[in-house]
Structures are given as structure tokens and as C-alpha cells.
Amino acid sequence: MKPTDLFKTHPLLSDRVRLAIMAVLAASEEPVSFTELAEKLQLTRGNLSSHMQKLESENLIEVKKEFVDRKPSTTYSCTKLGRTEIKNYLVQIEELLKKV
Amino acid sequence: MKPTDLFKTHPLLSDRVRLAIMAVLAASEEPVSFTELAEKLQLTRGNLSSHMQKLESENLIEVKKEFVDRKPSTTYSCTKLGRTEIKNYLVQIEELLKKV
């Protein structure tokens, strides 16, 4: 592996917060609600919201808005592409780790 | 490990280019010259220089300027702190993404 291979990973994943969001979503079998994500990652709603919009615009996550018991509910899940990109990122990181 | 543990890693490493620079330096037993780094990472001198200044200001790398055969030479090496921080960062990411 060349060090430049790291530049081929998805640019959105090279941010600690977005990486943590993706890890939570990819590790969960069920969609995760906005509120749960904000609590788990200790992020403000504004901060989380801005990251989610970026991830959604690149098709790394999927958003679902619906009414549950007459209340609006927003849940997120990791897309197939998101899962592929995160796995790719992990492989590169593991390669780097071996050499350090 | 909680996903928020990732936020305790060094903020400067949350950039692919800087991570690659640190990985090259940490993997090398000898100091690496500016020119070699720029070539290895395919970065412009201006871009590389700006990243190096940030890394140096946080004591993650050490710079040495000297004359070799009457020509000025700049070499960089990873500090002890830099090595600790990059290992910590890579291990945290690995732990986090392994669950995916």
C-alpha cells in the first residue's frame, strides 16, 4: 500500500464526528433516530443535523421521515455505499497501523 | 469502547493528508526530507508546507534545518508524542469500525 492510497478513501469520512456517526449507523441493524444519535454522540442537534445533510447528499446514509403515534420521527440508516466506503476506510487504516 | 472516545483523539489527525504525512514519518526510522515527502504524497510544496507547520506547532513532528554539502536541507521526523497520538488514533478507528 502507498500512503497516497489513503487519499482514495471517501473525503467525508476523514472527519472524526462523521466517522463516529457512520460507525454507529453501520453497526446498528435497525434505523437509528435523530435523538438517539445526538445522545449517543453527545452532539448538539444543529451540529448533528449539518453532518447528516452532508452524509445524505453523498448517499452514504438514508433518511426516513414518518409519523409514529402522530408524532414526527426521523430515522437514519447506513446505505450499501456507506458500508462499502467505511469498510474501505478501515482497510486503509489497518494497513497504515501495521507500518507505524 | 464508546463512539465518543474517538473525539478524544488529536484533532489535527482528523485530516487524510495529515494522517498520511504522520504515517510516513512514523514508519520511517530516518528523518524524511521535505522533497521526499512531497514526492511520496504527491503534494505541492505549498500544501505540504502548511500541513507541516500545523503538525510542528502541536509538537507532533520535529523539523531539522541544516546544510548538507553547502546546500540547505530540511528534514522531518515524528516526535514521541506524534507517534503516541497516531497510534492512538489508528487504534480507536480500528476498534470503532471493527464493529461494523
Side-chain angles (χ1 to χ4, degrees), chain A residues 18-53:
Chain A
R18 283 195 291 269
L19 195 62
I21 294 170
M22 289 302 294
V24 169
L25 292 183
S28 168
E29 283 179 29
E30 303 280 311
V32 183
S33 75
F34 185 86
T35 310
E36 195 184 333
L37 261 183
E39 278 170 12
K40 224 173 211 166
L41 299 172
Q42 294 166 28
L43 298 172
T44 63
R45 299 180 76 83
N47 190 1
L48 178 58
S49 178
S50 116
H51 285 304
M52 296 318 263
Q53 277 167 30

Side-chain angles (χ1 to χ4, degrees), chain A residues 39-88:
Chain A
E39 278 170 12
K40 224 173 211 166
L41 299 172
Q42 294 166 28
L43 298 172
T44 63
R45 299 180 76 83
N47 190 1
L48 178 58
S49 178
S50 116
H51 285 304
M52 296 318 263
Q53 277 167 30
K54 282 184 195 161
L55 291 170
E56 197 197 344
S57 74
E58 294 279 325
N59 298 316
L60 297 175
I61 62 166
E62 216 166 40
V63 59
K64 196 175 168 190
K65 287 174 185 283
E66 57 188 345
F67 279 87
V68 178
D69 294 336
R70 294 190 182 182
K71 282 181 195 161
S73 149
T74 305
T75 55
Y76 297 91
S77 46
C78 185
T79 61
K80 212 170 173 179
L81 174 68
R83 211 170 284 271
T84 305
E85 292 290 355
I86 209 168
K87 281 198 177 150
N88 180 32

Side-chain angles (χ1 to χ4, degrees), chain A residues 7 9 14 16 23 94 97, chain B residues 7 9 14 16 90 94 96 100:
Chain A
F7 305 155
T9 56
S14 92
R16 294 182 301 175
E94 279 180 335
L97 190 54
Chain B
F7 304 156
T9 56
S14 172
R16 291 183 306 175
L90 295 175
E94 200 187 24
L96 186 68
V100 172

Side-chain angles (χ1 to χ4, degrees), chain B residues 75-92:
Chain B
T75 55
Y76 297 91
S77 46
C78 187
T79 61
K80 214 169 171 179
L81 174 69
R83 208 172 287 270
T84 306
E85 292 290 355
I86 194 176
K87 273 196 182 156
N88 179 33
Y89 188 73
L90 295 175
V91 168
Q92 297 283 351

